[in-house]
């Protein structure tokens, strides 16, 4: 398999964690988002959205959208499972993941920040937009974990929820959000940092890291 | 079950279609988004994100995020299935749905447009932002259907992909996008309009329609 991604893309980071948790290997091909390489014609043929990641399967299939890719990995290799076995926890873990993947990440990604700059918004306001989207989103995420004892988001093992949370916390820090305001989320991040699958997927450990 | 929603919310619209396709009933409680009712303390206790929809289950469970709710309905009542049985089509249907749910909808919803207005962006530019997010997103969606014969997005029956597409096309029209530019998507919309499950879920047929 080949993972087309970018070291700092949090959607690519999610897939890297999932691959590692499943013990699956994928060669990495980097597309430099800040240089616009995701908009090259050759890449758009792989991913019409011009987004990373794309997973190329061994038989040449092209999978897009990090959460769909992770579901596919779950079908390919069911163990260890990336969702809780209890149906109630399972739906809450999915909702938590989607709260990040739909309502935080796309509203603070490079594409949206570039749109803001094109409208003439000053850089300080652009950064404040991204910080506030992260802050508001993480506040809701913390509330969605109400009643969950840990150490991970939904129980004793990492799930899709943790896979989405850890990269988003990295983004939040990059935008200057005081993440200590979310002690429960930070405790989860620390639990994840105890696992090589998470550590090895971190942006600064990727071949294209700058 | 109780569905907390808003007639014009496309995420609520998705859940209404899924409930109808499954033949499930839910009482509707409307929260007027333009009046900010989703930010009332009582509603935030149901949904910490302050977003619609929320599904209250018969045993008092609170489910958030439309795609997680639809997955839960799929577990509750597996027939008719809302995903293709073929694994390759299944992952592509999920990716198509996520391309809308992550990369179009949240970048043009009320919350983001309100943020733009607070930055002093003129109304014409705000509308142009929403139109362009829809246009770019639907262009990618059309490409993601490459090789699929129809009549629905992924085969002979409606799936999660159609459930996300139809409400998004309604949004695109509201923002003045010339949707005829996407003949394949319009043909799918017409196929869906042949089904009562889709027609009955339309915004103008809801009790809170204005």
């Amino acid at each position: 398999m080949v993972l087309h991604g970018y070291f700092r893309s949090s959607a690519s980071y999610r897939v890297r964690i999932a691959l590692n948790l499943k013990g699956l290997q994928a060669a990495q091909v980097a597309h430099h988002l800040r240089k616009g390489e995701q908009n090259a014609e050759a890449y758009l043929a792989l991913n019409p959205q011009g987004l990373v990641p794309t997973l190329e399967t061994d038989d040449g299939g092209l999978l897009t959208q990090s959460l769909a890719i992770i579901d596919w990995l779950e079908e390919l290799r069911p163990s260890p499972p990336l969702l809780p076995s209890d149906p109630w926890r399972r739906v809450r873990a999915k909702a938590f993941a989607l709260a990040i993947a739909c309502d935080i990440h796309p509203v603070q990604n490079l594409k949206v920040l570039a749109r803001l700059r094109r409208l003439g918004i000053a850089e300080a306001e652009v950064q404040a937009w991204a910080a506030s989207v992260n802050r508001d989103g993480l506040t809701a995420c913390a509330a969605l974990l109400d009643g969950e004892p840990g150490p991970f988001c939904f129980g004793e093992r990492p799930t899709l929820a943790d896979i989405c949370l850890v990269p988003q916390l990295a983004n939040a820090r990059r935008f200057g959000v005081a993440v200590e305001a979310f002690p429960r989320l930070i405790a989860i991040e620390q639990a994840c940092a105890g696992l090589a699958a998470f550590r090895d997927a971190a942006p600064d450990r990727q071949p294209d890291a700058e």
Side-chain angles (χ1 to χ4, degrees), chain A:
Chain A
M1 293 191 288
V2 177
L3 179 64
H4 296 267
Y6 179 57
F7 75 110
R8 212 177 252 160
S9 141
S10 58
S12 304
Y13 189 176
R14 292 174 200 150
V15 175
R16 294 194 302 259
I17 299 168
L19 285 164
N20 292 348
L21 284 168
K22 294 288 188 186
L24 291 165
Q25 307 290 325
Q28 288 200 44
V29 174
H31 301 266
H32 199 299
L33 300 192
R34 288 184 188 273
K35 294 182 184 157
E37 292 177 1
Q38 72 281 19
N39 297 318
E41 216 171 303
Y43 186 69
L44 290 174
L46 304 182
N47 184 321
Q49 290 195 273
L51 294 173
V52 291
T54 302
L55 188 72
E56 238 180 302
T57 65
D58 288 337
D59 53 3
L62 294 168
L63 310 184
T64 64
Q65 286 289 339
S66 62
L67 297 194
I69 294 171
I70 293 170
D71 268 7
W72 185 82
L73 296 175
E74 185 86 343
E75 294 189 9
L76 182 72
R77 182 165 296 186
S79 178
L82 300 182
L83 286 167
S85 57
D86 170 68
W88 173 238
R89 265 193 166 161
R90 188 160 59 242
V91 63
R92 292 180 65 217
K94 287 178 189 173
F96 182 95
L98 288 162
I100 292 174
C102 297
D103 296 315
I104 306 181
H105 178 245
V107 190
Q108 54 88 76
N109 70 5
L110 276 181
K111 217 170 186 167
V112 163
L113 303 188
R115 272 184 195 269
L116 290 171
R117 292 185 188 108
R118 284 201 301 275
L119 286 175
I121 303 294
E123 190 55 32
E125 295 270 34
V126 171
Q127 297 294 318
W129 167 297
S132 126
V133 167
N134 273 278
R135 201 179 302 109
D136 294 356
L138 293 174
T139 302
C141 281
L144 290 171
L145 294 178
D146 202 34
E148 286 294 335
F152 294 98
C153 286
F154 293 94
E156 297 288 328
R157 298 195 323 188
T159 66
L160 184 64
D162 307 274
I163 288 172
C164 290
L165 175 62
V166 167
Q168 196 59 52
L169 283 170
N171 274 5
R173 277 198 192 89
R174 221 161 51 239
F175 292 117
V177 175
V179 293
E180 318 78 66
F182 308 105
R184 175 80 173 85
L185 303 184
I186 297 301
I188 292 165
E189 186 186 42
Q190 282 164 353
C192 292
L195 301 175
F198 280 82
R199 289 195 306 271
D200 295 344
D204 61 2
R205 297 212 187 174
Q206 305 315 306
D208 58 325
E210 287 165 0

